Amino acid sequence: MKELRIRTLAAVFVVAGVLSWAGARLWSSVGSLPRVPLAAPIVLALIAAVLLATALSLRSRLKAQRERRPGAKGVDPLMAARAVVFGQASALVASLVAGMYGGTGVFLLGSLDIPVIRDQAIYAGLSVVAGIAVIAAALFLERVCKLPEDDDHNDGTAQAS
């Protein structure tokens, strides 16, 4: 499995942000403003929490397995691979969504004197922060599931599978 690159995530974030800003600007010229749902940062934060909990659980199980503790519960390689794929997919989607809400939020910064728009800008900013938390948790999960011997054989590009 190939390692997820931060450069790719940043590119997705920037492209989505620019397109979202342009779309919000066009949408505003029609007479309405784009809406940012209150649930967006909440859902992203929940995904980040699930990814972090998975990473911490796998890390402790792998550590117990390495130390050969009696009764240590092993980690199924297929489950670790699925966790990494879930993390990578979550990071890519979070990068896209955070970029989208970031672009919308930047557009909304021009009208912060209106309370409704200020609330929308706050929701957009919280969505970007929660999206970054998802990306960080996904990268941590990927790092936890990385096999130590992969660095020697594949220049660090392979993952647990």
Side-chain angles (χ1 to χ4, degrees):
M1 225 181 271
K2 288 193 175 186
E3 195 171 314
L4 194 57
R5 297 182 185 267
I6 294 176
R7 188 177 320 140
T8 303
L9 297 172
V12 169
F13 177 82
V14 168
V15 169
V18 169
L19 290 176
S20 178
W21 174 81
R25 196 168 165 194
L26 180 64
W27 195 338
S28 176
S29 69
V30 175
S32 65
L33 289 173
R35 308 284 295 166
V36 179
L38 174 62
I42 295 169
V43 169
L44 287 169
L46 286 174
I47 292 170
V50 166
L51 286 169
L52 183 61
T54 302
L56 293 173
S57 172
L58 285 173
R59 185 175 73 167
S60 67
R61 288 172 60 187
L62 287 169
K63 183 179 178 186
Q65 192 176 8
R66 273 193 308 273
E67 294 173 352
R68 301 183 191 268
R69 291 184 193 157
K73 192 174 180 183
V75 175
D76 178 32
L78 187 57
M79 193 215 35
R82 287 178 181 161
V84 170
V85 169
F86 172 62
Q88 288 181 343
S90 297
L92 284 168
V93 170
S95 180
L96 179 69
V97 169
M100 183 183 77
Y101 287 131
T104 301
V106 168
F107 174 76
L108 294 174
L109 288 177
S111 305
L112 290 180
D113 52 336
I114 303 169
V116 174
I117 293 178
R118 183 178 36 242
D119 291 343
Q120 294 295 305
I122 290 170
Y123 299 158
L126 290 174
S127 296
V128 171
V129 170
I132 291 170
V134 169
I135 293 168
L139 291 174
F140 178 61
L141 175 62
E142 186 178 58
R143 187 161 186 81
V144 163
C145 292
K146 188 172 184 172
L147 294 173
E149 63 270 8
D150 285 342
D151 289 333
D152 300 331
H153 299 296
N154 298 323
D155 297 330
T157 58
Q159 294 293 322
S161 54

